Amino acid sequence: MTTSTPYHPGERAAQARAGRTERADHAGRAIRDTVPAVAARFLAERRMLVVGAADEDGRVWATQLAGPAGFLRAPDERTVSVAARPAGADPLAAALARPARVGTIALDPAGRRRMRLNGGSVPDGRGGLLLHADEVVANCPKYIQRRTPLDRPDAGGPPRAVAAGPRLTTAQRLAAATADTFFIATTGPDGSVDASHRGGLPGFLEAVAPDRLRWPEYPGNSMFLTLGNLELDPRAGLLLPDWETGGALLVTGEARTDWSEEARQAAPGAERMVELAVTGVLELADATPLTWTDPEYSPANPH
């Protein structure tokens, strides 16, 4: 990051490759290092927070935290308090029990709104986290499927590992291939982390092999925060929530962006494709105390 732009060299390279530098400069005016009052109110109403970070072995994962409205608070413009922390079999439980760099995204599926906050994390001594804001970004509503949260009557206990391994099972490949939403965590310079959202109609995420996932990159805000990180560091982690059961599928590996003309024609609406070489998979039960209503698909999803 320099004094003249909020973007690091990888993001600048991705913007230039896509021919979006001018649009990115305009969009970059919305990047802040503080949490404005409207964002604080938005956070206080949320039930879900996606968190991305590197584990103790340096592998990048994305996971989710949940709680009642108010479990996220902004006590001041640089701090967000999270009344939850990864626990049990969650791959980030140990990493976030000490100071760490994190990328987070608060999602409001019912209102099709989202907000990213990237920065530092420390345990708060009460089983939660304190986040220090380095980068705060409000994103557009594109590709968010409308859902409403429901409390699980049988919720209880920390996340439990159902299956773990170096590659996807047949059932996990089916879950990926029918997903309409996932989240991706990536890392940038100096250990910075970003968490982002991807959505589309079921089938937009392809499980092309037990050790390979692929998806189209649709037109977005032109910041290229995810692809910019991948220009510098291929490590990535995916979170696929099970909206019906409260479970989750977590995948880690290394991702590569295909910028070719063939990639643009590989899927409806695609501007490029990203492929993840899978190196680790963890399937969790009780990943969250929430389930969600059936989706109302985004009108922005390419058909």
Side-chain angles (χ1 to χ4, degrees):
M1 196 174 287
T2 70
T3 55
S4 60
T5 176
Y7 302 113
H8 63 62
E11 292 161 345
R12 274 321 221 184
Q15 293 158 8
R17 275 192 173 197
R20 301 285 180 82
T21 301
E22 186 174 342
R23 292 188 190 180
D25 288 340
H26 178 76
R29 300 170 191 168
I31 300 176
R32 313 169 62 112
D33 60 1
T34 58
V35 180
V38 64
R41 291 192 295 271
F42 172 78
L43 290 172
E45 297 169 351
R46 301 285 62 79
R47 303 288 313 273
M48 172 186 181
L49 182 72
V50 173
V51 181
D55 69 12
E56 294 179 304
D57 296 323
R59 297 181 300 174
V60 174
W61 298 89
T63 190
Q64 59 184 327
L65 300 174
F71 95 107
L72 300 176
R73 294 186 306 106
D76 61 62
E77 64 177 9
R78 297 300 300 274
T79 306
V80 171
S81 171
V82 185
R85 196 165 76 205
D90 193 296
L92 295 181
L96 296 190
R98 54 181 60 89
R101 300 296 296 277
V102 298
T104 73
I105 180 165
L107 189 73
D108 170 22
R112 292 196 170 117
R113 297 181 295 168
R114 53 188 159 180
M115 191 192 94
R116 289 149 94 162
L117 185 148
N118 303 333
S121 167
V122 295
D124 66 0
R126 300 185 301 275
L129 299 171
L130 287 176
L131 308 181
H132 175 82
D134 292 334
E135 192 173 62
V136 179
V137 186
N139 285 149
C140 72
K142 276 185 174 181
Y143 319 121
I144 298 177
Q145 327 309 343
R146 180 169 282 137
R147 289 178 164 94
T148 301
L150 304 169
D151 289 295
R152 286 174 49 210
D154 61 339
R160 296 178 291 107
V162 175
R167 56 181 57 198
L168 297 157
T169 66
T170 300
Q172 291 165 349
R173 291 176 67 186
L174 178 61
T178 54
D180 59 50
T181 300
F182 69 91
F183 301 87
I184 178 170
T186 55
T187 60
D190 306 319
S192 62
V193 183
D194 177 74
S196 188
H197 163 276
R198 294 293 184 272
L201 293 177
F204 87 110
L205 176 62
E206 297 178 79
V208 294
D211 61 351
R212 200 151 43 104
L213 292 171
R214 181 173 60 198
W215 63 89
E217 286 287 308
Y218 298 142
N221 56 23
S222 298
M223 293 180 181
F224 293 92
L225 304 186
T226 297
L227 300 193
N229 280 349
L230 294 179
E231 288 287 301
L232 304 179
D233 189 331
R235 291 178 297 162
L238 270 57
L239 163 68
L240 284 69
D242 188 325
W243 304 100
E244 295 181 6
T245 70
L249 183 63
L250 280 59
V251 183
T252 189
E254 295 191 349
R256 178 186 65 88
T257 307
D258 185 348
W259 297 85
S260 69
E261 181 60 31
E262 290 80 3
R264 291 176 60 89
Q265 301 175 13
E271 292 194 327
R272 55 205 59 85
M273 300 291 289
V274 178
E275 187 166 286
L276 181 82
V278 176
T279 59
V281 181
L282 181 62
E283 186 176 347
L284 297 176
D286 295 327
T288 168
L290 301 176
T291 58
W292 299 76
T293 57
D294 291 340
E296 176 187 323
Y297 294 121
S298 169
N301 292 337
H303 288 272

